[in-house]
Amino acid sequence: MITNKNKIALIAFELSMQDGFDNVSVKEISEKSGVAVGSIYYHFKDKDEILLYMVHMYLMDNFQEFKEAVKKFNGSFIEKIEFIFNYKTNSFIKEEDILYTASEHEFDYKKYFTLLTSIFHQNPETRHLFYQLHEELYSFYYDLVKDAIEKKEIRDDIDIESLVMFIQSNLKGYIDLWVYQPDISFKKLVDSNLKMIWEAIKVQ
């Protein structure tokens, strides 16, 4: 059973995907969710608090599930990186948390990433969560690279910090290209990035 607090955040997220968070009103959230305005203010003191909770749900909480999924994935280092490329656009949101998957709408990951970017730029009070996420991502990728070196899957003379930054740049850049250059196929983006990463790390 989804709690009213999470339902409010989910509906706020859905409406924000369509119109942008700043254009969504508490009244709209109430009408769409079926949760009375008074109940919304019982859970959240204002709309800004809804935003912080929403970003936490869709950024930080999903990151924990992402880490667990990668850890459970049984594959080589480069296969794990390919898994990450696909995971971030296919399974980044828990399906049971997407209310409108059961309606006429399909989840639009491009809108999802565009929304997060706009929130970062337009709502500076949320930026600490984005900074925290990327610090945790760095640490997570660092451990993946270190483990791959120890297992002799990749070059042992490679600078871990440089490789992690390279991988993070690839993972961030391919999403931007996928969102803003729709003429480039998703598969081509993933394959080209994987090829360049592999060329940089493979044992000679």
Side-chain angles (χ1 to χ4, degrees), residues 90-102:
N90 293 327
S91 307
F92 204 73
I93 305 297
K94 291 182 292 183
E95 189 167 340
E96 62 268 27
D97 280 353
I98 305 170
L99 296 186
Y100 52 88
T101 51

Side-chain angles (χ1 to χ4, degrees), residues 110-134:
K110 292 186 178 184
K111 285 185 178 180
Y112 165 74
F113 287 112
T114 302
L115 173 63
L116 289 180
T117 300
S118 70
I119 287 174
F120 176 85
H121 289 292
Q122 297 171 13
N123 305 92
E125 68 275 17
T126 67
R127 289 179 188 170
H128 68 284
L129 294 174
F130 289 87
Y131 297 148
Q132 181 184 340
L133 172 68
H134 283 83

Side-chain angles (χ1 to χ4, degrees), residues 63-75 80 83-84 87 139-141 143-144 147 151:
F63 172 62
Q64 300 308 318
E65 294 197 5
F66 161 74
K67 286 200 300 184
E68 289 305 312
V70 176
K71 287 177 182 178
K72 289 177 182 176
F73 178 77
N74 186 23
K80 285 180 181 177
F83 177 79
I84 291 168
Y87 185 94
S139 297
F140 181 64
Y141 294 141
D143 289 341
L144 282 181
D147 183 61
K151 290 179 178 177

Side-chain angles (χ1 to χ4, degrees), residues 139-157:
S139 297
F140 181 64
Y141 294 141
Y142 191 99
D143 289 341
L144 282 181
V145 171
K146 187 177 178 182
D147 183 61
I149 290 174
E150 290 172 356
K151 290 179 178 177
K152 303 187 184 303
E153 292 183 302
I154 63 176
R155 287 168 43 198
D156 60 6
D157 64 334

Side-chain angles (χ1 to χ4, degrees), residues 4-199:
N4 271 352
K5 188 169 187 177
N6 281 0
K7 188 175 184 180
I8 292 162
L10 287 164
I11 291 299
F13 183 80
E14 175 186 349
L15 292 170
S16 299
M17 289 264 288
Q18 298 168 13
D19 305 315
F21 180 79
D22 291 343
N23 297 317
V24 175
S25 68
V26 172
K27 182 180 177 183
E28 285 179 290
I29 296 171
S30 172
E31 291 173 351
K32 183 81 173 179
S33 66
V35 179
V37 171
S39 293
I40 291 176
Y41 284 116
Y42 170 79
H43 293 289
F44 302 98
K45 67 179 182 181
D46 54 29
K47 204 178 119 179
D48 289 341
E49 197 168 272
I50 296 175
L51 175 63
L52 283 172
Y53 189 81
M54 184 181 85
V55 172
H56 218 288
M57 277 182 65
Y58 285 100
L59 209 61
M60 304 308 296
D61 292 351
N62 285 328
F63 172 62
Q64 300 308 318
E65 294 197 5
F66 161 74
K67 286 200 300 184
E68 289 305 312
V70 176
K71 287 177 182 178
K72 289 177 182 176
F73 178 77
N74 186 23
S76 66
F77 177 75
I78 197 64
E79 288 171 337
K80 285 180 181 177
I81 298 300
E82 182 178 13
F83 177 79
I84 291 168
F85 270 106
N86 287 287
Y87 185 94
K88 290 184 74 176
T89 53
N90 293 327
S91 307
F92 204 73
I93 305 297
K94 291 182 292 183
E95 189 167 340
E96 62 268 27
D97 280 353
I98 305 170
L99 296 186
Y100 52 88
T101 51
S103 71
E104 71 276 11
H105 301 289
E106 290 186 5
F107 189 80
D108 190 327
Y109 285 92
K110 292 186 178 184
K111 285 185 178 180
Y112 165 74
F113 287 112
T114 302
L115 173 63
L116 289 180
T117 300
S118 70
I119 287 174
F120 176 85
H121 289 292
Q122 297 171 13
N123 305 92
E125 68 275 17
T126 67
R127 289 179 188 170
H128 68 284
L129 294 174
F130 289 87
Y131 297 148
Q132 181 184 340
L133 172 68
H134 283 83
E135 286 175 5
E136 292 188 24
L137 275 169
Y138 178 89
S139 297
F140 181 64
Y141 294 141
Y142 191 99
D143 289 341
L144 282 181
V145 171
K146 187 177 178 182
D147 183 61
I149 290 174
E150 290 172 356
K151 290 179 178 177
K152 303 187 184 303
E153 292 183 302
I154 63 176
R155 287 168 43 198
D156 60 6
D157 64 334
I158 203 157
D159 180 73
I160 298 178
E161 184 177 351
S162 296
L163 178 57
V164 171
M165 287 189 287
F166 178 60
I167 290 171
Q168 280 192 289
S169 298
N170 277 263
L171 287 167
K172 179 68 172 69
Y174 94 105
I175 287 175
D176 285 349
L177 285 174
W178 178 59
V179 172
Y180 301 117
Q181 290 187 247
D183 54 315
I184 302 177
S185 76
F186 176 77
K187 186 178 185 307
K188 185 175 181 180
L189 281 171
V190 172
D191 289 348
S192 60
N193 277 281
L194 286 172
K195 180 180 179 182
M196 296 305 296
I197 292 172
W198 182 241
E199 286 298 319

